Amino acid sequence: MLDTPAFGSAAVAAPHHLASEAGRAILAEGGNAIEAMVAMAATIAVVYPHMNGIGGDGFWLVHEPGGKMHGIEACGPAGSLATIERYRAKGYDSIPARGPGAALTVAGAVGGWRLALDLAASLGGRLPLRELLTDAVRHAREGYAVSLSESGSKPHELAELKAAPGFLNAFWPDGAAPKRGTQRKMVTLADTLQQLADAGLDDFYRGDVGREIAADLERIGAPIARADLERFHARTVTPLSLALPGLSVWNMPPPTQGLAALVILGLFERLGRVELDSFAHHHGLIEATKRALAIRDRHVTDPAHAKGDPSRFLDEAMLAREAALIDSRRAASWPVKQSHGDTIWMGAIDGKGLAVSYIQSIYWEYGSGCVLPATGIHWQNRGISFSLDKTAANPLMPGRKPFHTLNPAFARFDDGRILAYGSMGGDGQPQFQAQLLTRYRLGQSLAAAVDAPRWLFGRTWGSASTALKFESRFDPTLLERLDGAGHPVEETGEAYSEGFGHAGMLVKHPRGHVEAVHDPRSDGDSRGI
């Protein structure tokens, strides 16, 4: 099932082939990697609606050919009506996962596209927005085939999802998940995307589209007001970074879990040399994951409310202290609350070496489930990561940003290679990233690293149990050793399961050619020019 890598002077990778084709076409037209990514992001928002949409959030890492790294945070805050008192008065002990009460944060993805295109223009981008959104508009208007991933999805809180305003009519008109290949048209969404193409992306927040969004959100009882949309702007941020022997790695700062992704790599590096697929390799990553997620859960929150600089957890003394607590032979207990989520990761590298690692999501399958009738947009449920406990690490508060599992990754090697990589998968994202990068560093090719079996400590997508879950292609001897060390090993019986992420990797080699690969667990591919 090994995916065939794409090679060329430029390349893209995405979990749906229509998105990768949209990006490839923009590169072929002379667009840069950022422009290609906007085309991909718009297209996949249409054709992979269970995983993402323009009613969700996004995060960007952009690496310039000269080495400068940019971060774009495009996540919206809780609406001005989203108060703990509001939910308590309705009888809730926690925020509902589906329906209008779950649609409580502003969607930031489109604002991120706008800010990214400003950067693209400063770096020589010249393609008009209409051209970038052409494929997305066409697929929404003329129709597209429901993917294998969507047809096989098993959404959480299904009854509540079906009851969400507009959900069944838009996505499950027969009351159940459509079969693979079923043709679906999203004409109202096509009209919205065309309006954005004509009026500009700012219209989503401060124009006609924003007005319609706000009216529909108010009509269904969601706690977001028009003023909340008008106030929103994506922002540039300084990515977190970590130096490792032979390379540097980057990820996003809070409110994302990018810190955890880097802590895993930093701790693993301090455990000593390992062989690929050895007990030390996987035991070390699993134990590093436990410590990294514990740090995340204590300290990652809206940066406006954070205590201290998150980069302090990446300094040598802190990493050395945490690594010293890892037993090289025994598994530690891990009483950490788990989070799942459905997301897409995509990458693009152009002929000049401009590179993008991007992630976009509505959180759970189909987000809140609410589909706004005037625009055809389905809205995220990212705000369910808030707590109704005022003393919690992430309490609900108007204007506060929720905790995000989303985190795109990037690496630059001392020999000149640059690597954009990432995966969807909620809490699995930093775990899958670590498995991908360590496999590549230990000598596997991109295709082999992405194809290789994965594990996940916690919950796989669609599962309520907490264990150390493995795809079925691991060496049984390794699993026996891990079980003997105290790890709660559980084999899923599946060779390739999307519960273990849709991953991708793209590398630009020093001589200039780009190699790209996407996950055989997804509906996507990689394409080069």
Side-chain angles (χ1 to χ4, degrees):
M1 205 168 175
L2 200 67
D3 187 46
T4 301
F7 294 94
S9 60
V12 298
H16 196 288
H17 64 94
L18 293 178
S20 54
E21 175 55 27
R24 187 210 63 79
I26 292 300
L27 291 177
E29 286 292 319
N32 65 27
I34 298 172
E35 293 171 317
M37 186 56 68
V38 169
M40 295 163 69
T43 298
I44 205 158
V46 172
V47 302
Y48 234 38
H50 60 311
M51 294 287 185
N52 78 121
I54 63 173
D57 290 336
F59 295 89
W60 297 72
L61 286 180
V62 180
H63 183 271
E64 290 188 38
K68 185 176 182 180
M69 181 67 76
H70 303 265
I72 296 176
E73 174 199 279
C75 63
S80 55
L81 303 177
T83 64
I84 290 176
E85 293 74 20
R86 175 189 177 102
Y87 286 88
R88 292 293 191 193
K90 293 178 180 291
Y92 291 115
D93 293 323
S94 60
I95 295 169
R98 304 294 194 180
L104 72 149
T105 59
V106 173
V110 173
W113 299 357
R114 180 176 182 270
L115 192 55
L117 288 176
D118 288 344
L119 176 58
S122 74
L123 297 172
R126 57 176 180 79
L127 296 183
L129 179 61
R130 288 187 184 90
E131 186 168 347
L132 304 183
L133 301 189
T134 293
D135 278 10
V137 172
R138 176 167 55 84
H139 293 309
R141 192 175 306 284
E142 298 178 5
Y144 62 92
V146 170
S147 67
L148 176 63
S149 174
E150 184 181 0
S151 67
S153 67
K154 297 177 175 60
H156 294 264
E157 302 203 12
L158 182 57
E160 292 79 4
L161 176 62
K162 288 183 174 182
F167 172 75
L168 288 177
N169 184 59
F171 297 117
W172 289 17
D174 296 327
K179 294 181 179 179
R180 180 186 185 184
T182 300
Q183 288 293 308
R184 176 191 288 144
K185 295 182 180 180
M186 304 290 287
V187 177
T188 304
L189 181 60
D191 292 340
T192 297
L193 290 167
Q194 188 62 60
Q195 169 67 14
L196 295 176
D198 295 338
L201 296 174
D202 199 58
D203 200 71
F204 188 95
Y205 302 98
R206 287 163 283 278
D208 293 340
V209 172
R211 182 187 67 247
E212 297 294 344
I213 289 172
D216 277 346
L217 288 171
E218 180 181 11
R219 192 174 298 114
I220 67 173
I224 300 172
R226 186 173 185 188
D228 300 324
L229 296 171
E230 292 174 336
R231 280 192 292 267
F232 177 76
H233 293 275
R235 68 186 191 118
T236 58
V237 295
T238 301
L240 296 175
S241 63
L242 176 68
L244 298 172
L247 75 161
S248 295
V249 287
W250 286 266
N251 215 301
M252 292 294 292
T256 82
Q257 64 173 341
L259 174 65
L262 296 182
V263 170
I264 292 171
L265 296 174
L267 295 180
F268 181 74
E269 191 63 41
R270 283 155 181 80
L271 300 180
R273 293 178 61 86
V274 302
E275 294 182 2
L276 178 67
D277 279 329
S278 65
F279 171 83
H281 179 195
H282 293 288
H283 173 77
L285 284 178
I286 294 162
E287 295 304 296
T289 293
K290 295 175 183 178
R291 306 211 68 82
L293 294 187
I295 291 171
R296 179 201 72 179
D297 289 347
R298 290 195 303 269
H299 299 285
V300 172
T301 187
D302 182 338
H305 299 270
K307 298 177 181 179
D309 183 352
S311 63
R312 70 187 187 277
F313 295 103
L314 300 173
D315 67 35
E316 176 60 37
M318 180 69 75
L319 290 172
R321 186 181 73 187
E322 289 288 326
L325 297 174
I326 293 175
D327 189 322
S328 64
R329 298 183 300 274
R330 296 294 303 172
S333 60
W334 195 57
V336 178
K337 181 180 178 181
Q338 292 301 290
S339 175
H340 77 277
D342 299 306
T343 302
I344 59 91
W345 177 89
M346 302 187 293
I349 303 178
D350 65 29
K352 295 182 178 179
L354 181 65
V356 176
S357 180
Y358 178 64
I359 198 161
Q360 184 168 275
S361 177
I362 50 171
Y363 202 26
W364 284 23
E365 310 95 332
Y366 302 103
S368 68
C370 299
V371 182
L372 308 184
T375 58
I377 298 169
H378 62 303
W379 211 259
Q380 64 185 353
N381 66 338
R382 181 62 59 175
I384 66 172
S385 64
F386 285 122
S387 172
L388 297 183
D389 180 356
K390 293 181 179 180
T391 66
N394 287 285
L396 178 62
M397 182 186 304
R400 186 168 185 145
K401 295 173 183 174
F403 164 73
H404 265 275
T405 52
L406 307 183
N407 64 113
F410 199 91
R412 185 173 66 216
F413 292 81
D414 292 352
D415 64 9
R417 285 173 293 161
I418 58 172
L419 172 69
Y421 68 105
S423 176
M424 67 81 144
D427 278 342
Q429 289 180 39
Q431 303 179 49
F432 304 149
Q433 289 177 14
Q435 291 171 67
L436 292 169
L437 185 60
T438 57
R439 285 184 176 282
Y440 184 58
R441 291 184 68 197
L442 290 171
Q444 282 195 320
S445 68
L446 289 189
V450 171
D451 178 83
R454 297 183 199 135
W455 49 260
L456 171 63
F457 200 103
R459 288 204 304 263
T460 55
W461 178 35
S463 172
S465 66
T466 297
L468 180 57
K469 296 181 173 66
F470 289 82
E471 288 184 305
S472 65
R473 293 173 290 135
F474 278 94
D475 182 345
T477 303
L478 170 64
L479 301 187
E480 290 175 6
R481 286 203 62 190
L482 291 169
D483 183 70
H487 292 288
V489 171
E490 181 179 307
E491 293 186 73
T492 64
E494 294 181 84
Y496 295 88
S497 168
E498 67 176 357
F500 295 84
H502 291 171
M505 303 178 82
L506 301 89
V507 63
K508 187 174 181 67
H509 294 276
R511 293 186 178 181
H513 72 282
V514 177
E515 179 184 0
V517 65
H518 207 277
D519 209 319
R521 299 165 183 83
S522 75
D523 297 279
D525 58 17
S526 54
R527 302 189 181 201
I529 62 168

